[in-house]
Amino acid sequence: MSTTPSRASAAELLAQRQWRKDAQRSVRCALTAIKKARTEFAGCSSEGQATLAGLANDILTALKLPGLQLGRVDKEVEGLRGAAAAKLDVRALGGVRALRGCVVEMGRTLQAADDAIAAVADTPITEPWHATSPVYASIDAPRMSHLMRQCMTMLRAELTSKSGVCSALEALTFANHGSRSSEVGCSRLFQPLPFRSGGHAQQPGANVKAKASFEDTEQLLTVYLTTWLLDPYLNDAELDEILAGITEDMLESLARGVAAAAPDRIALGDISWRRFPDAFPNLAVRDAPRLRDRHVVFLASFDDPGTIFEQLSLMYSLPLMFIASFTVCLPYLPACTLEKLETQEQVSTASTLARLLSDIPGSRGGPTTLLTFDIHALQERFYFKDSLQPLLLSAVPLLLQRLKSLPDADNVVIAYPDEGAYKRFHLFLEGFTQLVCTRIKQGSERIVILKEGDPKGKHVVIIDDLAQSGTTLLACRQVMYSAGAADVSAFVTHAVLPQKAWQRLTQLDPLDPGNAVDPDPASCVTASAEDRQKVDLHPASSVVRPVTHVGGSEKAEGHGKGYDDHFRHVWLTDSCPRTALCVAGVAPFEVLSLSGLIAEALTS
């Protein structure tokens, strides 16, 4: 009798996971489809512009042709004028068809985006836990659909405008002409342009009429071409703002999570992130007077180097607004991964970043506090000046809580990919059996070997503070499976994984050069450089080859069992929000939010 609830619970958890995966995929696909539609729309519009210019030129040339004085050539070459007119007819016909093709292609791309948006709107939100899914924690589905449809409304209006231009040109170029029905296969047929004399010069009395027709047609074509070029219904700035707003709202889930963890003590503020025409920041703190005598926290993200300058500008300004205290919450310190120099030519960016942060002014309450997680090297805390007080936290408590919920929690052992990871984390995990790997150089390669411990029959959880390419995690996984591990999972605090390197952690043979990371951006949302940050207020690459020790000898792994086993789980935090957004709902990833730990640190 005890097995029935267990099965029901497992089925329910499976259904919830599948729902989240489908919902998150639909949101990413819809946003990507809109961006792709916009890009293809612009391409078709540009192509149509060139086609329209050529078509207008052919029409005007055909109108001028009857009145051209060709002199002896017209008399000596029989049918010259008629042949030229016929060629212009064919070119104009092709131009109209090509222009219609551009309009049809634009309509096709917009329809694909409409279908993707409909999938978001059709996602059922009937259960209470639906609204707490990570993809909807920062923005509700109706608002998301509304913003997306705002983009589509502009694009649709512009498509209607361009389709009208195309129809007008078709009306100018086509007419009922039975003699050509078999040639073009439709009822709206190409008609010889007006005032053509069949290859002979017109009578003098027709000159005034021809001139008037040419001028009228030239003016009309100018209107058509201008309408196409101006994109009167398409506001690029507004479209950029809407698309950026959707992505930014999704990336702000960490800030919203912090506020939700302590709603009675933390409130969200907002900053206006704009740029001048020369691309330099134009920043403003909304409701700045409200900050006076309040404790202000700036939630920063340096995962995009292009936004560091503008964020530092805010950090230097906020303490001067008569606030009670100032805390910078920077979960991931990216430049602090380069703190060791091997040659004099290298630059220690860790030291540079520490200087920049140390120069943040103090507030009325004293020095600024820097809150960060799992710093790459503990000694880097001494890079900061006394004017900045670093508060170093760890995300390991999130992992410990997650490990307790595993069905095989009693069989879990901890592994470290190198001695550095062991030094950083072993004190947090003293209740577990701990394995240590190390990396040694053999020629140009760095080989991972198992230095201490036996993973045979165990669920091994590899722990590291940082993942860039993912190669070290993969090599360590190979060593564990080759040594007899039953399952291998991984936990990384800062999963940078740029250029979609996270995909490597889902592939069967990630070390095979044939399995390169897919560069296609269709499954990942990227934000604009002007990511909107939040102000929180509360009162008061080298190759790594796996090798394992077998009976005292080293054995390099080939395409054996290690390549056939995936990670069972890959846990990461949202310290790198773009990566967290990309992998949400994608097996074997699971995002553990830092929001609770941040809220606890701010309110304790």
Side-chain angles (χ1 to χ4, degrees):
M1 293 187 59
S2 61
T3 59
T4 302
S6 176
R7 291 178 181 176
S9 176
E12 182 179 344
L13 291 175
L14 183 61
Q16 290 183 7
R17 180 176 181 180
Q18 186 61 43
W19 182 91
R20 290 190 177 95
K21 183 176 180 180
D22 293 342
Q24 291 156 353
R25 183 188 295 113
S26 67
V27 171
R28 291 198 307 269
C29 289
L31 188 55
T32 303
I34 293 176
K35 293 181 178 180
K36 182 178 180 182
R38 185 188 179 190
T39 301
E40 294 187 4
F41 191 97
C44 291
S45 180
S46 179
E47 182 181 347
Q49 172 186 334
T51 301
L52 178 54
L55 176 60
N57 186 59
D58 289 340
I59 292 176
L60 294 176
T61 301
L63 286 176
K64 284 184 176 181
L65 185 61
L68 290 178
Q69 300 298 324
L70 300 179
R72 294 178 56 187
V73 176
D74 191 25
K75 298 178 180 179
E76 293 176 356
V77 182
E78 184 178 357
L80 174 61
R81 199 181 299 268
K87 185 170 185 178
L88 288 171
D89 289 352
V90 173
R91 286 174 52 174
L93 175 61
V96 170
R97 286 175 171 170
L99 193 64
R100 175 57 67 182
C102 291
V103 172
V104 170
E105 183 64 19
M106 285 188 277
R108 185 192 64 79
T109 60
L110 296 190
Q111 185 59 50
D114 274 335
D115 293 341
I117 294 174
V120 175
D122 292 341
T123 302
I125 307 179
T126 55
E127 301 293 335
W129 57 269
H130 285 166
T132 62
S133 176
V135 75
Y136 292 139
S138 60
I139 181 171
D140 60 276
R143 169 175 157 78
M144 187 178 296
S145 297
H146 173 70
L147 291 175
M148 289 179 176
R149 293 199 182 281
Q150 274 189 288
C151 299
M152 297 304 299
T153 297
M154 280 192 284
L155 292 171
R156 283 286 180 191
E158 188 56 39
L159 176 62
T160 301
S161 172
K162 285 178 165 48
S163 181
V165 170
C166 185
S167 298
L169 285 167
E170 287 174 337
L172 181 66
T173 311
F174 289 82
N176 294 326
H177 196 286
S179 63
R180 297 205 177 191
S181 59
S182 61
E183 178 183 345
V184 297
C186 61
S187 60
R188 297 188 61 78
L189 310 169
F190 185 75
Q191 179 185 10
L193 295 169
F195 312 115
R196 186 171 297 140
S197 61
H200 302 286
Q202 289 186 321
Q203 298 298 322
N207 288 341
V208 177
K209 185 178 180 182
K211 182 177 181 181
S213 176
F214 176 83
E215 291 176 348
D216 293 344
T217 304
E218 184 179 35
Q219 184 176 6
L220 193 62
L221 290 173
T222 301
V223 172
Y224 293 159
L225 186 58
T226 303
T227 301
W228 186 286
L229 291 176
L230 287 180
D231 295 334
Y233 297 98
L234 195 59
N235 187 328
D236 285 326
E238 184 178 353
L239 196 58
D240 285 336
E241 186 175 351
I242 293 174
L243 290 174
I246 295 173
T247 303
E248 289 161 9
D249 280 350
M250 296 170 70
L251 291 175
E252 285 173 2
S253 59
L254 178 57
R256 296 177 187 272
V258 172
D264 57 332
R265 302 197 58 190
I266 299 177
L268 291 180
D270 202 359
I271 294 173
S272 173
W273 297 84
R274 298 181 180 273
R275 290 183 182 271
F276 291 108
D278 61 358
F280 269 80
N282 179 13
L283 311 174
V285 179
R286 297 190 176 104
D287 296 330
R290 294 177 54 240
L291 304 186
R292 186 164 185 164
D293 295 325
R294 306 191 75 178
H295 305 284
V296 177
V297 180
F298 182 80
L299 180 56
S301 177
F302 284 2
D303 57 340
D304 180 2
T307 66
I308 293 179
F309 171 70
E310 53 199 54
Q311 292 183 69
L312 284 173
S313 299
L314 264 298
M315 294 180 201
Y316 285 20
S317 299
L318 286 168
L320 306 180
M321 295 183 179
F322 298 98
I323 60 178
S325 69
F326 186 52
T327 299
V328 174
C329 180
L330 184 59
Y332 170 49
L333 281 168
C336 289
T337 58
L338 181 55
E339 80 286 352
K340 297 178 181 178
L341 304 182
E342 297 181 357
T343 64
Q344 292 185 354
E345 291 79 9
Q346 289 182 289
V347 176
S348 174
T349 53
S351 176
T352 303
L353 181 59
R355 291 180 184 179
L356 290 172
L357 293 173
S358 296
D359 286 337
I360 297 174
S363 63
R364 298 173 68 183
T368 296
T369 299
L370 174 66
L371 191 157
T372 190
F373 286 84
D374 292 323
I375 194 168
H376 187 65
L378 189 59
Q379 64 270 21
E380 289 177 5
R381 68 177 303 166
F382 302 110
Y383 288 8
F384 300 104
K385 303 176 185 177
D386 292 342
S387 56
L388 186 76
Q389 297 180 343
L391 176 58
L392 308 183
L393 303 178
S394 178
V396 172
L398 298 177
L399 174 65
L400 293 174
Q401 184 178 3
R402 184 64 181 87
L403 292 180
K404 291 179 181 178
S405 66
L406 294 177
D408 59 345
D410 294 337
N411 196 42
V412 170
V413 298
I414 304 299
Y416 304 101
D418 52 42
E419 291 87 346
Y422 172 78
K423 292 177 181 178
R424 281 189 289 273
F425 295 112
H426 77 280
L427 293 178
F428 294 100
L429 300 155
E430 291 182 334
F432 293 86
T433 299
Q434 302 186 36
L435 317 178
V436 182
C437 294
T438 190
R439 289 179 286 184
I440 61 174
K441 285 188 176 181
Q442 283 192 356
S444 61
E445 293 184 339
R446 302 177 70 188
I447 298 175
V448 176
I449 63 172
L450 180 59
K451 181 181 178 182
E452 298 178 12
D454 182 9
K456 187 174 182 180
K458 301 294 184 178
H459 179 182
V460 179
V461 177
I462 304 168
I463 297 182
D464 207 352
D465 66 311
L466 177 69
Q468 287 279 2
S469 66
T471 302
T472 299
L473 289 177
L474 294 169
C476 190
R477 183 190 71 178
Q478 304 297 93
V479 170
M480 294 303 156
Y481 274 128
S482 298
D487 286 298
V488 178
S489 297
F491 169 79
V492 179
T493 303
H494 309 299
V496 183
L497 300 173
Q499 300 177 356
K500 300 190 69 177
W502 56 267
Q503 289 184 341
R504 304 182 67 196
L505 304 183
T506 66
Q507 294 176 348
L508 287 174
D509 189 353
L511 299 182
D512 187 341
N515 286 336
V517 176
D518 181 9
D520 184 84
S523 63
C524 183
V525 177
T526 56
S528 67
E530 300 181 19
D531 286 338
R532 185 184 304 148
Q533 304 293 331
K534 286 289 180 181
V535 180
D536 293 355
L537 315 173
H538 61 92
S541 273
S542 56
V543 176
V544 180
R545 183 166 59 93
V547 173
T548 182
H549 284 295
V550 180
S553 63
E554 294 183 355
K555 180 181 69 172
E557 296 302 322
H559 291 266
K561 178 181 178 182
Y563 286 109
D564 298 329
D565 290 280
H566 299 279
F567 281 113
R568 178 175 170 185
H569 301 283
V570 176
W571 295 293
L572 52 92
T573 75
D574 46 4
S575 66
C576 300
R578 288 181 177 82
T579 304
L581 183 61
C582 287
V583 304
V586 179
F589 296 100
E590 183 178 343
V591 179
L592 307 179
S593 180
L594 296 171
S595 57
L597 296 179
I598 295 174
E600 182 180 356
L602 296 177
T603 57
S604 60

